[in-house]
Amino acid sequence: MKKTGGGGGTAGDKKRGRRSYADSATDTPPRKQAAKKDVFQIFAEKVRDHKDLESRWAVLQETRVEYFRGKDFVGFLRNHPELKDLLESDKNLEIEDIANTLLRKNLVVRCDRVVKTVRPGKKKLSTWPAHLEIFPDQVFSDNDAFYAWTFVNRRPLWQTLLSFCWPVLTLAICLFPVYPHQVKLLILYFCAGVLLLILCLLSLRALVFGALWVILGKRVWFFPNILAEEATLKELFQFWPKKDEGERPKWTARLFYAIVAMLVILLLRHHAPDEAARARYQKRVSNIIDDVLEWSPRLALSGMMEKQTVVNVTDSKVTDGSEKKMAPPQDTETETISDQFEATEEIRNVGDTDHHQ
């Protein structure tokens, strides 16, 4: 019996040993568990990088953040259910539960618009507000709710390479005075052309807006985001105007601004400069440009040497003049001593003559 009990105990110990080894083999080591990335973090990065989720940039507590709308998030996950597979065991969660989990893990934060009243001349609030504030109740809702990403997104490779180009560009700008003359001309004409293009674009944009506003009463801005403070590069060069959501202006206001525009045009035409004034201004500008283009370190050093030579010549002239001015008192003193000596000699001669007599 003892042997049987001992054998059974030995067999039980072996089985327990096998089970413990199997459990230890299947368990993940603590370091690997710590190094393993959260599935919701991976899910959030994939959703943020996806181009089908519409998002914008805004200012939240003096910080630029990227945010999206709750209803867009719901529609996005309905159209792309394959992204839920990244959640592994939580892939069967509802969209609202997934969003609440992202809120609990501080991957997103619910925000609200700062301006909650309709601006004058508008029919409704802005679809994408430019300024946000944190909403007190951090619970998901798709009814006019905004959510901002709280983690820093990975930068693309082109942005990393561009960050290294900025110091090189700064150094190139600082070295502009030592460039060859032809390179200076090329840079000058290029910058002047870009500046002229921008001014012509803004002027044409304002002219089209004014003409359509006065004639048709519609607000049409081509390149609507060209002057926007918070806009992506794609939004900045958007050509087609947005839908006019404002009220139609009154005909009296349109007539008033049309008369004002005509008066301004007539006034500018009456006080336009003549040919002589334009020629003087052109000559002055060309002289300034020539001075900038023709400047070089050699000319600067030669100019400094000329100034130093002029200073040395002036100092020598001043020194010579002071010596010449100091010379007459010495001559006067000599003449005075000689006069005294001659007077003394005459007195002695007169004394000797009287003694002989």
Side-chain angles (χ1 to χ4, degrees):
M1 294 294 294
K2 289 182 180 180
K3 289 182 179 179
T4 307
T10 306
D13 293 338
K14 288 181 178 179
K15 288 180 180 179
R16 285 194 297 270
R18 290 193 192 101
R19 282 198 299 267
S20 62
Y21 176 78
D23 294 339
S24 63
T26 54
D27 290 341
T28 306
R31 292 184 179 179
K32 290 186 177 180
Q33 286 182 352
K36 187 178 180 181
K37 204 169 185 179
D38 187 11
V39 292
F40 282 93
Q41 175 75 28
I42 300 174
F43 173 78
E45 291 178 356
K46 291 292 184 182
V47 171
R48 185 176 182 179
D49 293 337
H50 207 287
K51 61 181 181 179
D52 289 343
L53 179 62
E54 190 175 5
S55 62
R56 294 288 190 277
W57 288 86
V59 178
L60 175 64
Q61 295 180 349
E62 300 180 357
T63 304
R64 291 185 72 248
V65 294
E66 186 180 5
Y67 72 100
F68 58 90
R69 298 181 297 185
K71 60 180 182 180
D72 293 336
F73 182 77
V74 173
F76 171 76
L77 286 185
R78 286 176 180 172
N79 296 329
H80 299 278
E82 69 277 2
L83 291 176
K84 290 184 179 181
D85 296 337
L86 298 172
L87 300 177
E88 297 178 355
S89 60
D90 297 326
K91 63 181 180 180
N92 295 324
L93 291 176
E94 297 293 332
I95 297 177
E96 184 176 353
D97 296 332
I98 294 174
N100 286 324
T101 305
L102 294 176
L103 288 170
R104 284 197 307 271
K105 292 180 176 292
N106 292 326
L107 295 173
V108 294
V109 60
R110 183 176 176 180
C111 306
D112 194 11
R113 60 178 79 244
V114 175
V115 180
K116 300 178 177 63
T117 57
V118 181
R119 294 182 179 179
K122 299 289 184 179
K123 294 182 180 180
K124 59 181 182 179
L125 293 172
S126 176
T127 306
W128 296 95
H131 297 274
L132 299 173
E133 60 184 4
I134 297 178
F135 193 73
D137 191 9
Q138 292 294 312
V139 180
F140 180 77
S141 174
D142 58 353
N143 184 18
D144 196 27
F146 306 98
Y147 300 89
W149 300 106
T150 58
F151 59 91
V152 179
N153 199 10
R154 292 176 298 177
R155 289 186 176 182
L157 179 61
W158 68 271
Q159 289 187 359
T160 305
L161 296 177
L162 186 63
S163 62
F164 287 104
C165 294
W166 286 118
V168 178
L169 180 61
T170 304
L171 182 62
I173 294 173
C174 295
L175 294 178
F176 176 79
V178 299
Y179 288 167
H181 185 74
Q182 298 296 332
V183 178
K184 289 182 180 180
L185 283 177
L186 180 62
I187 295 174
L188 175 65
Y189 291 147
F190 175 76
C191 295
V194 172
L195 182 60
L196 184 62
L197 177 64
I198 294 174
L199 293 178
C200 291
L201 178 62
L202 294 178
S203 301
L204 181 62
R205 179 173 176 264
L207 183 62
V208 171
F209 173 81
L212 294 179
W213 188 82
V214 170
I215 298 172
L216 302 178
K218 294 184 177 295
R219 301 175 181 88
V220 179
W221 285 109
F222 292 101
F223 294 101
N225 301 320
I226 196 69
L227 298 177
E229 296 180 0
E230 304 293 336
T232 61
L233 189 64
K234 182 179 179 181
E235 296 171 353
L236 192 65
F237 293 100
Q238 179 185 351
F239 177 75
W240 293 109
K242 298 179 180 179
K243 185 179 179 181
D244 187 12
E245 299 177 354
E247 297 180 357
R248 187 181 181 88
K250 298 180 180 180
W251 68 271
T252 54
R254 293 156 55 190
L255 180 61
F256 171 76
Y257 282 107
I259 295 173
V260 170
M262 292 298 297
L263 292 177
V264 170
I265 293 173
L266 293 175
L267 185 64
L268 292 176
R269 184 178 179 182
H270 179 70
H271 292 281
D274 54 1
E275 291 294 334
R278 284 197 292 269
R280 289 195 301 269
Y281 179 75
Q282 183 180 359
K283 184 178 180 181
R284 188 184 307 169
V285 172
S286 62
N287 291 336
I288 295 174
I289 295 175
D290 291 339
D291 292 339
V292 174
L293 293 178
E294 293 177 359
W295 188 92
S296 65
R298 295 180 179 179
L299 293 176
L301 292 175
S302 62
M304 293 174 61
M305 295 300 295
E306 290 178 358
K307 290 182 179 179
Q308 187 68 24
T309 306
V310 172
V311 171
N312 293 336
V313 171
T314 306
D315 293 341
S316 62
K317 287 183 179 180
V318 171
T319 305
D320 295 341
S322 60
E323 290 178 356
K324 289 180 181 179
K325 289 182 180 178
M326 292 296 294
Q330 294 179 358
D331 297 340
T332 306
E333 185 178 358
T334 305
E335 290 177 358
T336 304
I337 294 173
S338 60
D339 292 341
Q340 291 179 357
F341 181 76
E342 291 178 357
T344 304
E345 290 293 331
E346 289 178 357
I347 292 172
R348 286 180 181 178
N349 293 331
V350 170
D352 293 338
T353 305
D354 294 339
H355 179 72
H356 287 297
Q357 289 177 357

